[in-house]
Amino acid sequence: MFAKPDSNQLASVYKRLVAGDAAAPEEMAQLTIEPLTDVLRIGKRGARDASIAYDAAVDAIMDLLRAPQKYATSLSSLWSFLEMAARRNVADRRLGERRRDGRIARLRKNVALSSSASNKNKEGMLDQLARREASKAFWSRVKGASDSLPSAEAKILELMASGVRATPEYARVLGMVAAPLDEQALAVKRAKDRVRKRLKRRLCGITV
């Protein structure tokens, strides 16, 4: 069972955050990240993937740190506000995964329809050859683009391509393990964005 932060302590840190207290962002992150991650994994609709829950919690807290005035104290408790934002983040990630799976399914269907138009025996050999050559061409382009990235960003790309989502893994590459959690999350998001933008420019429309 997760331990929800004390509401009075949470309200106190929030007031200091609004007032511009330099220590408040780190205290807010330490106070909320772990329990918010835990609550996202509870129940039938909880996030099975711990990294999805963690990243969704971090994003919700980072949004609050960037714009604390978005929280309306008269409408809900701060904890409820953060939980609702984090659950939206989880839902957005699931929607993104469903869309990706749908694109893969449509691609497989198109390949199957294309294959059925040819002689099955010859088609099997030609299809394998085409996929092999397309794959080689794709990874050649990605390799060429990644070679031009700084070493840290090349490692970030490798983690992204491997499906790694946990923020601490990326923070380790950036040498920020000892940094406050909110600084880690912000640096990782910026690094990912830089890698995506550079690859988009180099790969002519291939989205990473």
Side-chain angles (χ1 to χ4, degrees):
M1 179 67 68
F2 76 97
K4 185 188 298 185
D6 178 77
S7 58
N8 292 329
Q9 185 180 8
L10 201 56
S12 175
V13 176
Y14 174 72
K15 288 180 181 178
R16 288 166 48 214
L17 179 67
V18 173
D21 187 332
E26 182 176 356
E27 290 185 34
M28 179 65 74
Q30 292 177 342
L31 191 62
T32 55
I33 285 180
E34 288 189 10
L36 193 55
T37 299
D38 289 341
V39 77
L40 292 177
R41 303 190 66 195
I42 294 175
K44 293 182 179 180
R45 301 185 65 183
R48 296 180 181 178
D49 189 329
S51 65
I52 290 180
Y54 178 85
D55 285 348
V58 168
D59 286 349
I61 295 162
M62 289 298 299
D63 287 342
L64 176 70
L65 298 182
R66 281 191 292 265
Q69 69 278 4
K70 287 186 177 181
Y71 164 56
T73 57
S74 61
L75 297 181
S76 67
S77 69
L78 179 56
W79 176 258
S80 296
F81 174 82
L82 288 172
E83 183 178 341
M84 185 178 301
R87 290 193 183 281
R88 281 198 302 269
N89 292 339
V90 170
D92 289 344
R93 281 169 170 75
R94 285 174 169 165
L95 178 60
E97 290 180 347
R98 287 197 296 271
R99 287 174 174 170
R100 180 199 62 198
D101 292 343
R103 288 194 295 269
I104 292 174
R106 288 193 295 273
L107 177 61
R108 288 175 176 170
K109 181 178 180 181
N110 289 339
V111 170
L113 290 174
S114 176
S115 298
S116 64
S118 305
N119 179 275
K120 289 185 178 180
N121 292 330
K122 293 181 179 179
E123 173 234 4
M125 296 174 61
L126 292 174
D127 191 51
Q128 288 181 15
L129 179 61
R131 283 199 299 269
R132 187 180 302 116
E133 292 303 315
S135 178
K136 286 169 60 179
F138 173 82
W139 287 113
S140 176
R141 295 171 72 188
V142 171
K143 181 66 166 58
S146 65
D147 285 345
S148 65
L149 294 175
S151 60
E153 292 186 6
K155 291 178 181 178
I156 292 290
L157 173 59
E158 183 179 345
L159 289 175
M160 293 169 66
S162 300
V164 176
R165 293 178 179 173
T167 297
E169 294 296 324
Y170 292 92
R172 192 171 294 111
V173 170
L174 297 173
M176 298 187 64
V177 175
L181 295 175
D182 57 320
E183 291 184 14
Q184 288 185 23
L186 184 57
V188 168
K189 288 176 72 67
R190 286 175 175 170
K192 286 182 178 179
D193 288 342
R194 283 197 302 271
V195 170
R196 291 190 182 101
K197 288 176 181 177
R198 291 184 183 181
L199 286 180
K200 283 179 181 178
R201 286 196 296 267
R202 289 169 171 77
L203 300 180
C204 302
I206 296 178
T207 302
V208 177

